[in-house]
Amino acid sequence: MLKRTFLFLTLTAQVVCAQTKSKVVVTDLTRIRQVGGIELSPDGKQAVYTLTTIEPNPDQKEEYEYKTHVYLTNLKPGDSKALTRGNESARQAVWSPDGQRIAFVRTVKGKGQIFVMPLNGGEAWQLTNSPYGASSPVWSPDGKRIAFSGTVTTAQMLTDSVLNPSKNGPLWSLEKPGFANNNFIKTDKKIKANPDGSLAEIRAYLNKDVDDKKAKVITRLNFQGESTTEPDLSFTHLYVIDVNEEATPKALTRGFSSFQAGTWLPNGQGLLAVTDRDSLKHPDRESDNAIVFIPANGSGTRTVVLAETGKSYGSPEVSPDGKQLAVLMSPSEGVNFAQIGLATLTGTTASTIQPVTFDRAASNLTWTALPSSGKGKKGTTGYAIYFTAAANGGTPLYRLDPATRQVSQLTPFESGVTNFDITGGQIVFAKTEVTNPSELYLTNAEAKAQTKLSNYNDWVTQKQLSFPEKHTYKNSLGQTVDYWIMKPVLVENGKKYPLLLNMHGGPTAMWGPGEPSMWHEFQYMCSQGYGVVYANPRGSGGYGLEFQRANIKDWGTGPAEDVLAAATAAAKEAWVDTSRQVITGGSYAGYLTAWIVGHDNRFKAAFSQRGVYDLTTFLGEGNAWRLVPNYFAYPWTAEAKVLDANSPYTFVQNIKTPLLIKHGENDLRTGIIQSEMMYKSLKILGRPVEYVRMPGATHELSRTGNVRQRIDRMLRIYEFFERYVGPDAQGLTQK
């Protein structure tokens, strides 16, 4: 009797505790603060980082602005201070080698510029005033110079006597029909534009129309950006500037090529950078990337360090002693992900690259010298490479021993390391987990005994949360599929609740407790009385290359099998009302939503977001068009039937489930005509369908888009489903 009384009191206390907490509401989205941009000081005693917040727009009611500022911590809990403030965000903060200053980027008159701030007192001062903007600052090893990037348009390149001394066009063809060797570029500026004049005058008139933005002339392959068409290419060039006021930057690279990911060699003689392997190919057609050495003297020469036909090399990182090179490498075409490669570096010559056996997509490679342990010992025991990789529902931190090529996992799958840095055996990192979407932590080289340094999102402790329960399923290919079930908050005994199947896009994305982008959406829907089930079906990232390639020529049937198996299993939970199931997903999962309701009638309502519905038209309409040949085939080939067989639009006549379709009007990743065609067809068929377009919105409706539109999206998910599975749905149906 005593045990029963104790159990009753314990359960009662838990219920009372839960009831004192509030539900996650839609506007809690604006309360989430994101930690990133972490850089440890050279002595490992301090760190700078960025904090991104969502703030009310003082000039526009109900609108919000993203603000990012730089903070400094002394690596003690609660001991942080803002280094930058104001309306203009600051980002990309990096330490000088002596630890006395930081450089960072702030927007000035619409363009990023580099500022330098002394940390022993004094205001930040502007170092660059580049017409091309300045970003990605990197201090030279001696602390006297900073290398940075600037972005130059084709039109600017044609008139820039430094980047393009001859003022000619590129050696590769701009592919304008009827003109050889880009000879249309050289025109007599004295020719008067005249629509009724000679051919030369007519051409001058047409060129003026382009200059006056009355026409866009497109000759390039990849002309679609994220929000608008981009007829002209842009090029990223590297510069170096002395860290002195009124210093003039010096161009390190030239020509109609881009150079990115610049990183100094330890001797300070130059940088490694990533560029197109074949500079004679149009950049839209060259898919191979090479790593080259760029001397810091401004000679404009470059030496190839790593290059191979059919391969892409990126993210070069040099060991502190300059003797080893780590890169990310992958085949240039097909369904792949980047893997780690290691090479010995002698000066600027790399040995044959050796891949590391690690079947996940690595990122954020960071070399560190490991300190000696034990009394009386000094120096280092060698080097290690730390990195992160999406895996099994989280983003763990890993360590690679370059000598043995062995990889160790340091943090669990249940959380996600979103950013980190390591110096002197100390790691500062940002972590997301179910109990908190983003905070700053300190730990040692083994990632043990983690210390929480910040409390930006501690308001979450006063919220009712739903904790995902992991399950697995063996699919028809024999693969193990992870899925998670989240109960509604405060499930009452004997009461039934609707179930939402929520699916990820990509198709190579991955969801799980350690993935940050869905934290708010999942918790919001659970707070609204919905259970949520989500899975990582075949084709997802985070489970190895074979798993990721398992949906080639099969975007619909196989992945649908996997997510529906998760939904079927979740529907067996005692709290689920099997007659009230709904489904949603965005991007590729918008595709999968439409595919499923064209083949399965279990769902009372569906919400398809920014999806792809016809693979043939997707080739022309979206900037993600390479997914078509990578996964399927070109429409004019003998294999083209696979496109129709895998297109949800082919089965539009089978869709009877009430469907809400949503798309951003400026979304060029998947293309808005996809949703127009699906909506119009269902409307002609007389099916229950509603179409919501978001003015000015791109593909980023759920992550970094306009905050008010992100809130609108969340509310429309809830409101539409309530029509069909809410408490009044039964009565509405009968009426």
Side-chain angles (χ1 to χ4, degrees):
M1 183 65 182
L2 181 61
K3 288 183 178 180
R4 289 185 180 181
T5 302
F6 178 76
L7 178 61
F8 173 77
L9 291 174
T10 301
L11 292 174
T12 301
Q14 289 175 346
V15 171
V16 171
C17 179
Q19 289 177 341
T20 61
K21 296 183 177 183
S22 61
K23 293 181 178 180
V24 171
V25 296
V26 73
T27 53
D28 283 337
L29 173 69
T30 65
R31 301 178 67 183
I32 297 174
R33 298 183 168 194
Q34 296 287 346
V35 177
I38 300 168
E39 288 274 340
L40 268 160
S41 61
D43 62 7
K45 296 180 179 180
Q46 294 178 301
V48 290
Y49 62 94
T50 58
L51 186 70
T52 300
T53 61
I54 297 174
E55 308 291 345
N57 186 321
D59 301 320
Q60 293 178 282
K61 188 178 180 181
E62 298 182 349
E63 293 287 350
Y64 299 85
E65 298 175 326
Y66 295 98
K67 298 291 185 185
T68 300
H69 283 290
V70 179
Y71 285 70
L72 175 71
T73 174
N74 291 315
L75 307 187
K76 297 178 181 179
D79 185 15
S80 290
K81 65 177 181 180
L83 295 181
T84 64
R85 299 174 180 82
N87 292 328
E88 292 294 345
S89 292
R91 55 202 180 276
Q92 298 179 358
V94 288
W95 290 89
S96 62
D98 62 6
Q100 300 300 308
R101 298 163 292 174
I102 63 166
F104 63 92
V105 176
R106 172 179 279 155
T107 302
V108 179
K109 296 180 181 179
K111 294 185 180 296
Q113 301 293 349
I114 295 171
F115 286 71
V116 175
M117 175 183 289
L119 293 182
N120 57 0
E123 295 292 326
W125 52 276
Q126 186 173 339
L127 175 64
T128 66
N129 189 25
S130 170
Y132 305 138
S135 63
S136 305
V138 189
W139 290 85
S140 63
D142 62 8
K144 296 180 180 180
R145 297 162 293 173
I146 289 177
F148 66 92
S149 300
T151 302
V152 190
T153 66
T154 300
Q156 291 169 329
M157 282 291 298
L158 291 172
T159 59
D160 191 304
S161 57
V162 174
L163 299 177
N164 181 24
S166 68
K167 296 188 179 180
N168 289 325
L171 296 177
W172 41 265
S173 172
L174 285 164
E175 301 181 359
K176 191 173 181 68
F179 291 91
N181 303 321
N182 300 328
N183 58 12
F184 67 95
I185 290 176
K186 287 288 187 179
T187 57
D188 189 344
K189 301 298 182 183
K190 297 178 181 178
I191 296 176
K192 183 180 179 181
N194 182 2
D196 300 319
S198 65
L199 181 59
E201 290 171 329
I202 289 172
R203 284 174 175 160
Y205 182 86
L206 295 176
N207 289 336
K208 188 175 185 301
D209 282 347
V210 173
D211 293 339
D212 294 342
K213 302 189 185 308
K214 297 299 181 183
K216 287 184 177 181
V217 178
I218 297 170
T219 61
R220 57 178 299 205
L221 175 61
N222 295 333
F223 64 92
Q224 293 151 319
E226 286 295 292
S227 61
T228 186
T229 53
E230 299 172 352
D232 291 328
L233 283 156
S234 293
F235 305 93
T236 301
H237 281 283
L238 297 178
Y239 295 81
V240 68
I241 187 171
D242 292 335
V243 187
N244 297 314
E245 294 188 59
E246 300 183 0
T248 301
K250 179 191 301 180
L252 298 183
T253 58
R254 297 179 177 84
F256 290 84
S257 297
S258 287
F259 300 85
Q260 299 168 323
T263 181
W264 286 92
L265 291 182
N267 60 19
Q269 293 180 0
L271 300 93
L272 299 186
V274 179
T275 189
D276 287 344
R277 182 185 65 84
D278 188 346
S279 62
L280 299 182
K281 269 190 179 180
H282 192 294
D284 284 355
R285 298 187 181 277
E286 172 57 291
S287 54
D288 299 346
N289 285 333
I291 292 175
V292 295
F293 168 71
I294 310 294
N297 59 14
S299 66
T301 60
R302 60 180 188 252
T303 304
V304 175
V305 178
L306 285 174
E308 185 178 348
T309 302
K311 293 284 184 70
S312 282
Y313 297 102
S315 303
E317 295 293 336
V318 183
S319 61
D321 62 3
K323 296 180 180 179
Q324 298 179 80
L325 173 65
V327 300
L328 294 178
M329 53 188 285
S330 71
S332 301
E333 297 182 354
V335 179
N336 301 286
F337 56 68
Q339 296 177 295
I340 303 172
L342 293 174
T344 300
L345 198 60
T346 305
T348 60
T349 302
S351 65
T352 301
I353 197 80
Q354 297 295 324
V356 173
T357 302
F358 180 71
D359 197 19
R360 296 293 187 270
S363 60
N364 305 313
L365 305 182
T366 305
W367 283 92
T368 189
L370 295 177
S372 300
S373 59
K375 294 182 179 180
K377 294 182 179 180
K378 295 182 179 180
T380 65
T381 60
Y383 298 112
I385 300 171
Y386 284 71
F387 64 94
T388 56
N392 302 68
T395 309
L397 181 67
Y398 295 89
R399 181 175 63 204
L400 166 65
D401 182 341
T404 64
R405 300 181 184 273
Q406 295 299 305
V407 174
S408 304
Q409 181 179 336
L410 303 180
T411 61
F413 295 128
E414 290 74 25
S415 62
V417 175
T418 55
N419 195 258
F420 77 94
D421 195 20
I422 178 168
T423 295
Q426 289 201 111
I427 304 171
V428 176
F429 66 101
K431 179 172 69 173
T432 185
E433 53 191 341
V434 177
T435 55
N436 194 304
S438 183
E439 295 293 358
L440 192 70
Y441 291 81
L442 172 69
T443 189
N444 59 18
E446 303 293 330
K448 306 295 184 184
Q450 300 176 6
T451 300
K452 185 166 172 280
L453 298 179
S454 68
N455 56 2
Y456 294 118
N457 293 297
D458 277 2
W459 55 269
V460 172
T461 61
Q462 301 306 311
K463 293 289 182 176
Q464 298 168 357
L465 299 180
S466 177
F467 288 82
E469 300 170 357
K470 183 179 178 180
H471 302 266
T472 60
Y473 151 75
K474 190 78 73 173
N475 68 16
S476 58
L477 298 179
Q479 297 170 320
T480 299
V481 174
D482 287 349
Y483 67 95
W484 288 262
I485 300 173
M486 298 176 68
K487 296 178 181 179
V489 296
L490 295 180
V491 172
E492 298 179 25
N493 288 333
K495 190 174 180 180
K496 300 286 187 177
Y497 299 86
L499 178 67
L500 167 61
L501 172 60
N502 206 333
M503 302 175 296
H504 72 64
T508 59
M510 178 209 70
W511 281 353
E515 198 282 321
S517 70
M518 294 302 291
W519 186 95
H520 176 256
E521 181 169 327
F522 287 162
Q523 295 297 339
Y524 172 71
M525 292 305 297
C526 290
S527 291
Q528 294 300 102
Y530 286 72
V532 175
V533 56
Y534 61 92
N536 289 323
R538 67 192 74 178
S540 300
Y543 294 89
L545 193 55
E546 182 181 355
F547 192 90
Q548 186 169 307
R549 289 174 171 170
N551 65 340
I552 292 177
K553 290 183 169 58
D554 178 20
W555 270 17
T557 303
E561 173 200 316
D562 295 349
V563 296
L564 290 177
T568 298
K572 295 177 182 178
E573 296 283 317
W575 48 267
V576 173
D577 184 343
T578 56
S579 68
R580 293 194 292 159
Q581 298 185 64
V582 291
I583 182 173
T584 190
S587 194
Y588 163 72
Y591 161 102
L592 196 53
T593 299
W595 175 275
I596 288 173
V597 296
H599 293 79
D600 191 291
N601 295 317
R602 77 180 70 182
F603 298 101
K604 288 292 185 180
F607 185 11
S608 186
Q609 310 167 48
R610 61 195 189 281
V612 170
Y613 310 112
D614 181 80
L615 293 173
T616 298
T617 57
F618 178 45
L619 180 76
E621 204 192 348
N623 66 18
W625 65 269
R626 292 187 190 274
L627 292 172
V628 175
N630 284 347
Y631 279 91
F632 302 103
Y634 285 111
W636 55 85
T637 65
E639 298 179 87
K641 290 182 179 180
V642 72
L643 298 176
D644 286 342
N646 279 271
S647 292
Y649 185 74
T650 301
F651 308 94
V652 65
Q653 72 278 6
N654 298 334
I655 297 177
K656 296 181 174 63
T657 304
L659 181 64
L660 176 61
I661 301 172
K662 191 170 189 179
H663 223 114
E665 288 196 335
N666 286 16
D667 182 355
L668 291 186
R669 194 179 306 177
T670 53
I672 196 167
I673 295 175
Q674 294 278 322
S675 58
E676 290 178 345
M677 188 165 66
M678 180 64 79
Y679 166 74
K680 189 178 292 183
S681 299
L682 288 171
K683 202 68 179 174
I684 292 169
L685 289 166
R687 305 296 158 73
V689 61
E690 185 169 304
Y691 184 30
V692 178
R693 296 163 65 103
M694 308 305 289
T698 66
H699 200 67
E700 296 296 306
L701 279 175
S702 64
R703 293 164 293 217
T704 60
N706 176 274
V707 177
R708 186 172 174 184
Q709 289 179 330
R710 292 176 66 189
I711 292 173
D712 179 283
R713 170 187 164 275
M714 285 292 307
L715 293 176
R716 288 190 191 277
I717 294 174
Y718 170 66
E719 187 277 332
F720 187 72
F721 289 159
E722 284 292 285
R723 300 181 202 177
Y724 296 95
V725 299
D728 299 326
Q730 185 78 23
L732 287 172
T733 303
Q734 291 175 346
K735 291 178 183 178

